[in-house]
Amino acid sequence: MADKSAFLRLTLPHRSVTPPTTAPPVVPAWSALGSVAFSGTLTCGVEVATSSKSFYVFDFSKDPEAASVQGGWPKVPMEQIHGVIGRRLKIMNAFALCLHSAHLSVEGIYEAPFKLTPEHLLHIEPSGGAGSGGTAFLLLALTKAANAGGTPISSVFSGSPIPQEVPAAAVALLDQVLEHPEPQAFDLAVLINDALVAASAHDNAGAVVTAWSVCEVILYRMWLALADAVHQQQLGASLSKTKQRDYQHDFTASQVAEFLWLSGKLTKDEHSDLARVRKARNAWAHSIESPQRDTATLAVRTALHMFETEFGITISANPAGQSSYAP
């Protein structure tokens, strides 16, 4: 039987030790990216520009939370540097969701969603140097190192020029998210992008688990708002911090959804969709029962719907769209 057996050969790259160097990495200047095709500034100060070659450049120098760290490590605590990087990644991943939405709403076309990680980021200075100080720019659309066989993050960055209306719509939508009076809108938008990317990669479990996290947070927000309204009406006082914790800890998400439905805060269809997503999440979490593709798609759409209901921000997404993965 050995000759009929199937084997998978896994080749791991060898680790190499690179001698330390003080030379800055080679980075392209703006001229290599083409002329500026669009430029917009978010209320928080982050400037977003696109080039004629479909590169996206983010300038965080005017965002107090994401500006360059002067001096760099070890002069600056690593936690602070990580915080700056984290802030930048969150803004760009929220932008990724808004860009996906803009392509759908403006052009009516599907562009694959994407998610950035620290290794995708490249910091350059206007003078052509590189480092963590001064004015830092982060470029999307650059391939990973050529010797690593990297490919562009998304075809959206290397294809034909993008109409100015698309990045303009994405920037305007991102500004709504960042400037919403409820800070959780920003965090949840980033999570929705995570779920959308997982769904596009056929990671059904990842999509369901992440999307349900968004839904659950919003469910409890709605539940506390309802409880507070009843307390004010019946007792003439808002919920205390202790009562808020009690209402969050003493009632399951299933019970909360039921109460919200009975009180008219959720429609029958909303209640049904949430129940299906919640059961799929629990089946995966407790029994490692993989959710189906249609459930993953429903989970992302339900999270988007709940997000719009709670925060009044409409984000279009197609979790069942094309994918780079072909089974």
Side-chain angles (χ1 to χ4, degrees):
M1 294 296 291
D3 58 328
K4 296 182 180 179
S5 299
F7 293 89
L8 175 65
R9 181 177 180 179
L10 181 63
T11 303
L12 298 177
H14 293 288
R15 298 182 107 184
S16 60
V17 179
T18 303
T21 177
T22 57
V26 178
V27 295
W30 244 113
S31 58
L33 308 180
S35 59
V36 177
F38 166 83
S39 180
T41 303
L42 298 166
T43 304
C44 64
V46 176
E47 296 180 10
V48 183
T50 62
S51 75
S52 56
K53 295 184 179 180
S54 299
F55 284 83
Y56 282 78
V57 181
F58 289 77
D59 180 358
F60 292 93
S61 60
K62 297 179 182 177
D63 181 356
E65 295 184 54
S68 297
V69 179
Q70 297 288 345
W73 187 83
K75 295 181 180 179
V76 179
M78 190 57 71
E79 292 79 6
Q80 184 179 343
I81 295 177
H82 287 166
V84 167
I85 295 173
R87 166 77 172 176
R88 292 175 175 179
L89 284 173
K90 286 179 63 177
I91 288 178
M92 288 188 292
N93 283 325
F95 178 80
L97 177 64
C98 295
L99 184 63
H100 177 85
S101 177
H103 278 292
L104 287 173
S105 58
V106 175
E107 295 184 291
I109 64 173
Y110 174 89
E111 280 289 355
F114 61 92
K115 175 183 177 181
L116 297 174
T117 58
E119 59 266 24
H120 291 136
L121 307 184
L122 178 63
H123 304 246
I124 66 173
E125 308 273 344
S127 61
S132 60
T135 303
F137 291 84
L138 304 186
L139 282 72
L140 310 185
L142 296 177
T143 63
K144 293 185 178 180
N147 58 7
T151 55
I153 297 168
S154 170
S155 60
V156 71
F157 297 133
S158 55
S160 58
I162 299 170
Q164 291 188 20
E165 293 80 5
V166 172
V171 168
L173 184 56
L174 178 58
D175 221 12
Q176 289 186 56
V177 173
L178 288 171
E179 295 305 310
H180 196 280
E182 293 291 340
Q184 275 191 330
F186 176 35
D187 294 323
L188 294 180
V190 177
L191 281 180
I192 291 174
N193 188 63
D194 290 348
L196 178 62
V197 170
S200 73
H202 293 251
D203 177 10
N204 297 337
V208 167
V209 170
T210 306
W212 172 250
S213 296
V214 175
C215 295
E216 189 170 23
V217 168
I218 295 175
L219 271 177
Y220 277 99
R221 285 178 59 92
M222 296 172 65
W223 168 234
L224 288 179
L226 175 62
D228 187 65
V230 172
H231 265 252
Q232 295 230 26
Q233 181 180 0
Q234 299 294 332
L235 303 175
S238 297
L239 284 175
S240 65
K241 294 293 184 182
T242 301
K243 269 294 184 183
Q244 288 182 26
R245 287 194 295 270
D246 290 343
Y247 275 114
Q248 286 182 294
H249 296 156
D250 294 347
F251 297 93
T252 66
S254 176
Q255 292 171 324
V256 166
E258 197 77 15
F259 293 148
L260 290 171
W261 174 52
L262 291 173
S263 63
K265 299 299 181 181
L266 290 176
T267 66
K268 180 181 178 181
D269 288 342
E270 290 171 337
H271 181 261
S272 176
D273 290 344
L274 285 165
R276 181 178 167 188
V277 175
R278 176 180 53 78
K279 290 176 182 177
R281 179 266 178 195
N282 289 342
W284 168 255
H286 302 302
S287 304
I288 317 300
E289 182 179 331
S290 298
Q292 297 297 313
R293 175 72 175 157
D294 60 340
T295 305
T297 299
L298 174 67
V300 178
R301 287 178 173 159
T302 302
L304 283 164
H305 175 73
M306 295 290 287
F307 183 88
E308 181 177 2
T309 299
E310 179 67 8
F311 302 111
I313 301 175
T314 303
I315 298 177
S316 302
N318 186 1
Q322 303 170 9
S323 173
S324 59
Y325 171 76

